[in-house]
Amino acid sequence: MAEIKDDSTSEPAAVSRRNFLRGTLAAVAVLGFDPKLRSWATAAELAGGSSLAEGFPHFDGQLLTDDESLTAAADDYGHAVHRRPQAVLRPGSIADVARLIDFARRHDIQVAARGQGHSTLGQAQVAAGVVIDMSSLATIHEVNHGDALVDGGVKWSDLLARTIPLGLAPPTLNDYIELSIGGTLSVGGVGSQAFRQGPQVDNILQLTVVTGRGEIVSCTASHNRQLFDAVRSGLGQFGVIVRARVRLVPAPPQTRYYQLPYTDLHVFLGDLLAAIQDGRFDTVQGFASPISTGGWSYSLEVTKGFTPGHEPNDAVLLAGLHFAPGQQASQDISYFDYLNRLAATVAFLKQIGVWDFPHPWVDLLVPTDRAESFIGSTLDALDPADVGQGPIIIYPYRRNRFRAPNFRAPEGGDTFFLFGLLRTAIPPTPERSAELVAANRALFEQARAVGGFFYPVDSVPMSRQDWRRHFGPRWPQFLAAKKAFDPEALLAPGQGIFNAV
């Protein structure tokens, strides 16, 4: 079993230590495990005389070893890292997750939970282990006036389909709502509402977690607090989030969506900060776009919800902002259409095949007092081709809205910025993707030098020492939680925090 050490410079254990027999496994469900060969046994292996480990669990769902399942689990939205597991569990119950992890613990098998596979550098992958495909655990159990009880594999879009007709929605949504609830809670969950409502991890009332010990544990801010604090933005290191009670707030039937143009970065950043200070807007986000003749233009996008017959007063709402006069645009749409605003773009990207290109993203959290120089110098040096027509996002946040201890954000100020290059690798080759990943790493080091952090779904290679520096004063608690809840270091090896990847 892996020993958890606070040793960021030691050589990682070889993956081959955990490597199971690589053979031709039939495209049927697994029926057992051969401990001598460290191989999952199907009916064909059983007929051939495999000796099975005692206590192999019965699953309500299926444990699969067919090529299609393994290939899908060895990919993500980055399409750059491909760590092939030896089996994929599609759980039929929370108990299935516990059974699998308990069995894996006894046989030294690594495990990774996968939501919608939207990470970009193999974070939800595991070589020669088991991937838990959480998409099969996706029941909405309750929708109440102030909360909803959902399985970890439920997508935010599916929850919205139930809550919007009731005039309710989660306080903060990702820009892309086709992500799993358990997956985004494991990272943080940010979007255009987070400046006032906080990230998704700060809008959770209760979690049910299967720890690395194979135990099913309920936790809240007042009950099992160590686990509650550990798993929120815990990168899957301490347990699998299998159920969550999500806070709900009133959702406006309509929203007015403003797009305000800028040509000056200093003025643009100043207005982004002004837009989050007095609560006049429900959502705030910014974008940078290349100008064909050189340089950059900027767009501040904000919304204000309303009930028909009580439309916002544009002059009052936009007073004091310094966008280019006469060039602003606005439209009135349903609140759900705003939340689902990326659907048409995603459908188009899938239609033309670009959705399947590598996406070496980098999202950096930059302190406000260094943001203008950092963002400005980055854009000055950036070739628009290095983004591949992907968006460049600049979102302002208020520091006191981010309370989950494992969500690492800049200290020392009341606000900070999320600056993201949502790159698409064009041409979609491994070599081009590797170039952009290397550029991400260099940019991350520049951000870290000015007190910045990165959002850990991105294509930024991290060493053990990097992770220890990332968590900083939180590292002793992070290490203690790993020893308490996943002492064999089985879970989420793809992050590379404690295990070889």
Side-chain angles (χ1 to χ4, degrees):
M1 296 182 179
E3 181 182 1
I4 303 168
K5 297 180 179 180
D6 186 8
D7 180 6
S8 301
T9 60
S10 61
E11 286 294 323
V15 174
S16 60
R17 183 172 71 86
R18 301 183 185 276
N19 198 18
F20 307 137
L21 175 68
R22 295 184 180 272
T24 305
L25 300 181
V28 296
V30 170
L31 301 178
F33 179 75
D34 188 328
K36 294 181 180 178
L37 298 177
R38 297 195 61 72
S39 171
W40 301 104
T42 63
E45 279 75 36
L46 291 177
S50 290
S51 58
L52 297 185
E54 294 183 4
F56 186 80
H58 166 77
F59 293 110
D60 299 318
Q62 287 186 310
L63 188 66
L64 303 173
T65 58
D66 60 282
D67 185 69
E68 181 179 358
S69 298
L70 301 185
T71 299
D75 194 16
D76 58 25
Y77 190 59
H79 305 303
V81 173
H82 303 284
R83 302 185 184 109
R84 191 174 177 86
Q86 282 288 70
V88 173
L89 174 68
R90 292 180 181 157
S93 63
I94 289 176
D96 273 0
V97 180
R99 291 172 185 133
L100 185 279
I101 291 177
D102 181 65
F103 184 82
R105 179 181 57 82
R106 289 185 281 114
H107 293 279
D108 199 20
I109 301 166
Q110 291 188 324
V111 177
R114 173 190 172 96
Q116 291 296 309
H118 207 68
S119 54
T120 65
L121 202 65
Q123 288 92 335
Q125 298 177 28
V126 55
V130 183
V131 168
I132 302 174
D133 180 355
M134 293 295 292
S135 65
S136 65
L137 203 62
T139 298
I140 299 172
H141 297 276
E142 300 174 9
V143 176
N144 306 306
H145 178 70
D147 61 68
L149 184 64
V150 301
D151 284 345
V154 170
K155 294 186 293 185
W156 293 101
S157 61
D158 294 332
L159 178 58
L160 286 167
R162 288 279 299 275
T163 64
I164 287 291
L166 302 175
L168 299 168
T172 292
L173 276 302
N174 310 92
D175 293 340
Y176 180 55
I177 59 175
E178 301 300 328
L179 304 180
S180 73
I181 290 174
T184 60
L185 294 180
S186 295
V187 182
V190 295
S192 60
Q193 305 101 329
F195 75 93
R196 64 185 303 170
Q197 302 284 5
Q200 290 169 335
V201 286
D202 284 316
N203 288 283
I204 296 301
L205 304 176
Q206 182 181 29
L207 294 171
T208 301
V209 178
V210 179
T211 72
R213 295 180 180 273
E215 299 169 343
I216 302 172
V217 183
S218 176
C219 57
T220 68
S222 60
H223 176 67
N224 291 326
R225 179 63 181 264
Q226 184 190 14
L227 181 61
F228 189 67
D229 282 347
V231 295
R232 292 180 300 142
S233 300
L235 310 181
Q237 291 301 310
F238 314 104
V240 178
I241 297 173
V242 292
R243 192 164 291 174
R245 190 171 292 278
V246 180
R247 191 164 75 92
L248 299 177
V249 296
Q254 295 285 113
T255 193
R256 183 161 293 176
Y257 185 13
Y258 300 88
Q259 296 171 301
L260 312 175
Y262 291 77
T263 58
D264 183 272
L265 177 62
H266 176 77
V267 174
F268 171 65
L269 295 179
D271 274 8
L272 278 172
L273 292 175
I276 68 172
Q277 293 298 339
D278 57 14
R280 72 174 97 171
F281 297 113
D282 298 328
T283 71
V284 176
Q285 55 188 344
F287 299 90
S289 302
I291 301 172
S292 59
T293 56
W296 299 86
S297 64
Y298 309 96
S299 176
L300 194 165
E301 300 189 1
V302 293
T303 66
K304 182 65 175 179
F306 66 93
T307 300
H310 300 276
E311 285 75 10
N313 183 317
D314 293 351
V316 172
L317 202 59
L318 303 181
L321 299 179
H322 304 90
F323 54 89
Q327 299 182 36
Q328 71 272 24
S330 67
Q331 58 178 319
D332 292 347
I333 57 176
S334 75
Y335 187 53
F336 178 78
D337 284 344
Y338 170 74
L339 297 176
N340 197 36
R341 61 196 180 280
L342 296 185
T345 299
V346 170
F348 175 72
L349 293 176
K350 289 181 177 180
Q351 180 183 358
I352 64 175
V354 175
W355 187 259
D356 295 321
F357 283 15
H359 293 90
W361 286 5
V362 57
D363 289 282
L364 301 167
L365 308 176
V366 184
T368 294
D369 63 351
R370 306 299 292 271
E372 183 176 347
S373 60
F374 180 82
I375 294 172
S377 62
T378 300
L379 293 178
D380 287 344
L382 184 67
D383 184 339
D386 289 340
V387 185
Q389 299 181 350
I392 298 174
I393 62 175
I394 306 172
Y395 292 5
Y397 293 128
R398 299 172 67 181
R399 185 66 182 84
N400 63 5
R401 297 298 191 268
F402 288 70
R403 303 182 184 91
N406 282 339
F407 192 107
R408 303 296 292 146
E411 301 285 353
D414 296 333
T415 59
F416 64 93
F417 285 94
L418 168 63
F419 175 52
L421 308 179
L422 307 190
R423 306 183 196 259
T424 299
I426 299 175
T429 63
E431 294 78 14
R432 180 57 172 156
S433 182
E435 289 176 0
L436 296 176
V437 170
N440 289 348
R441 173 68 200 196
L443 191 60
F444 160 70
E445 291 176 359
Q446 295 171 30
R448 187 168 63 176
V450 299
F453 292 84
F454 88 119
Y455 189 61
V457 298
D458 290 342
S459 296
V460 177
M462 295 279 282
S463 69
R464 294 184 182 186
Q465 184 62 36
D466 288 329
W467 282 115
R468 182 173 181 175
R469 184 173 174 182
H470 174 83
F471 287 105
R474 177 68 183 167
W475 177 252
Q477 290 89 347
F478 198 88
L479 183 65
K482 187 68 170 178
K483 292 179 178 178
F485 301 117
D486 183 25
E488 283 80 27
L490 302 178
L491 298 179
Q495 293 282 2
I497 301 175
F498 296 103
N499 296 75
V501 298

